[in-house]
Amino acid sequence: MTTRPLAATSEHESKDVAITLLKLGATSYGGPAIMGFMQAELQERRQWVTKERFLEGLAVANMVPGATATQLGIFLAYARSGWWGGLLGGLCFVLPAFVIMLALTVIYARLGVNPLARSALYGLGPVVIGLFAIALYRLGKTAASSAPEAIIGLAAAAVSATTRMGIVSILVLAGCAGLLLFYRGHTAARVRVVAGLLGLAVLSVGWWASVSGLGSEGAGWTPNSHSLLDLGLYFLKVGAFTIGGGLTMIAFIQDQVVGQFGWLTPREFIDGLALGQLTPGPVLMIAAYVGYKLAGVTGAAVAATAAFLPSFVIMLAILPVLDRVRRLAWVKAVMKGMGPAVIGVLAVSLVRLAPAAIPDPLALAMLVATVVVAMALRIGAFKLLFGGALVGVLKDQVPLGALTRHF
């Protein structure tokens, strides 16, 4: 008697996941700010997960290698509709970005990035930063609801801003702090000793790596730009071993693709970043741009598939295990420590992104307007982005000096 309603519910959830993630993948801009779109749409509006569970997803997505926004999308789709929902949601999120990036890259190869596109990018920048800031504010209220949590968040931000310690080390230390502060089980004394020793070990390894230069990429293997296999293996390495999200991956790709391999000129890479800003979805989709420049449409497909494949494999492998252990008291304590640390690290990322997106007073006014309008009127992100792009285009078509002469 219950089989058909359950099947209908499962089918409804899968359809909901596919349509929602497809829409997000086609309309969400701004690299790390995409997580703000997900928080507003999937956590706050659709309530697929609680704020606490969303913060867990943020922590997991930032802890493992791969494309952070894509991994968060897989996490949320998994929470909504299970393992197959996670797979479907991740594919639907990535596909629009690939199609749009490929189309823009083909146009760019023939026409270049024109002034109209650059004007639109100018208008998108402050809106993206504003939406990112709103998401961090809303999540921060949940993640730092007590003084100890707020201190962890501030400490994580300070370490991220002033040292070279990676995000994984910061989150491990935050998890240790969570065990020390929030775990109340009957084995609390032993757990705290282990947490303290682990924290000291992470600090020692981080200090040693920074002074010895460990982790900096040497010349090593140089892939053949004419080989699809080498292209795929290179981007598979990027997706499988680069921790810190899309921005870290872009820095890594730029260093090797431009500096070491000479596949692209600096100007070509900058134009690829511009196309990436015009393209919704994960910023790692620049892999498709690099692949197209080297080997056409086939190269774009190989590079994008290889770059995102590790994100799917890693997340879909660990989520069933995480689902079983997340209710354990010590896991809750770890996540309670990691939640505010994620917000602190992302806040530093926001501050670092802001200067490039807010170059002048008009952009600053657009940022303020975005925050006020989004918070007061709850206008959707897509409308705000469209409005920002329109203002950017009008700014160059109707110079401000011409307007002020009429007053």
Side-chain angles (χ1 to χ4, degrees):
M1 294 293 292
T2 60
T3 303
R4 293 180 66 182
L6 286 173
T9 300
S10 178
E11 183 179 348
H12 170 74
E13 290 177 351
S14 297
K15 184 178 179 180
D16 185 32
V17 164
I19 293 174
T20 304
L21 268 298
L22 199 65
K23 178 183 175 183
L24 270 176
T27 60
S28 55
Y29 288 79
I34 292 174
M35 292 176 277
F37 290 81
M38 290 183 175
Q39 186 272 335
E41 180 66 21
L42 305 184
Q43 185 275 310
E44 191 170 79
R45 180 170 175 267
R46 295 178 180 270
Q47 297 185 342
W48 284 8
V49 293
T50 63
K51 284 187 178 180
E52 291 79 7
R53 189 83 193 276
F54 186 89
L55 287 166
E56 288 180 15
L58 271 178
V60 172
N62 278 283
M63 278 285 290
V64 299
T68 306
T70 302
Q71 289 166 173
L72 181 60
I74 294 171
F75 176 91
L76 295 169
Y78 176 89
R80 170 66 172 160
S81 189
W83 196 91
W84 289 105
L87 176 62
L88 178 63
L91 291 173
C92 288
F93 179 68
V94 170
L95 185 60
F98 174 75
V99 172
I100 295 170
M101 180 58 128
L102 183 59
L104 290 176
T105 301
V106 172
I107 295 171
Y108 159 80
R110 299 180 181 179
L111 303 176
V113 176
N114 60 44
L116 187 66
R118 296 196 188 277
S119 298
L121 288 173
Y122 167 88
L124 285 173
V127 176
V128 163
I129 294 298
L131 293 171
F132 190 13
I134 291 170
L136 290 184
Y137 168 72
R138 288 171 174 165
L139 290 172
K141 289 193 300 182
T142 298
S145 58
S146 66
E149 290 170 308
I151 291 171
I152 291 174
L154 291 172
V159 171
S160 178
T162 60
T163 73
R164 298 176 61 187
M165 185 173 289
I167 188 171
V168 173
S169 298
I170 293 173
L171 292 184
V172 170
L173 288 172
C176 292
L179 284 173
L180 290 170
L181 295 172
F182 307 123
Y183 183 66
R184 296 291 184 268
H186 64 280
T187 58
R190 280 178 290 176
V191 168
R192 286 169 182 165
V193 170
V194 172
L197 293 174
L198 178 59
L200 289 174
V202 171
L203 285 172
S204 300
V205 171
W207 173 82
W208 178 72
S210 65
V211 299
S212 65
L214 188 69
S216 58
E217 286 290 324
W221 167 65
T222 300
N224 180 359
S225 62
H226 301 294
S227 167
L228 286 175
L229 177 61
D230 280 13
L231 181 65
L233 288 175
Y234 170 70
F235 278 105
L236 192 68
K237 182 182 79 169
V238 171
F241 297 107
T242 309
I243 296 174
L247 297 178
T248 303
M249 288 177 160
I250 284 178
F252 181 79
I253 294 169
Q254 188 272 338
D255 178 63
Q256 295 203 316
V257 166
V258 177
Q260 292 187 34
F261 306 153
W263 287 353
L264 302 180
T265 66
R267 179 72 258 173
E268 287 175 328
F269 193 82
I270 290 171
D271 286 345
L273 290 179
L275 294 177
Q277 288 295 313
L278 280 174
T279 303
V283 294
L284 182 58
M285 196 51 73
I286 195 173
Y289 170 84
V290 176
Y292 181 88
K293 294 289 287 183
L294 296 177
V297 174
T298 304
V302 169
T305 300
F308 285 95
L309 181 61
S311 294
F312 283 82
V313 173
I314 292 169
M315 290 300 288
L316 293 173
I318 67 174
L319 283 178
V321 178
L322 179 66
D323 220 29
R324 288 194 290 269
V325 304
R326 57 183 293 268
R327 295 178 179 83
L328 299 176
W330 70 269
V331 175
K332 290 182 179 179
V334 168
M335 290 300 181
K336 195 171 182 180
M338 286 184 175
V342 170
I343 300 301
V345 170
L346 290 178
V348 173
S349 175
L350 172 67
V351 172
R352 288 172 175 167
L353 287 171
I358 310 169
D360 54 41
L362 176 59
L364 179 60
M366 292 174 65
L367 168 64
V368 174
T370 296
V371 173
V372 171
V373 170
M375 296 285 283
L377 304 180
R378 294 192 173 271
I379 293 177
F382 182 74
K383 292 180 180 178
L384 291 170
L385 287 166
F386 178 79
L390 183 61
V391 170
V393 171
L394 291 177
K395 178 186 76 76
D396 290 332
Q397 300 299 318
V398 184
L400 293 178
L403 291 177
T404 56
R405 283 196 294 269
H406 294 284
F407 295 94

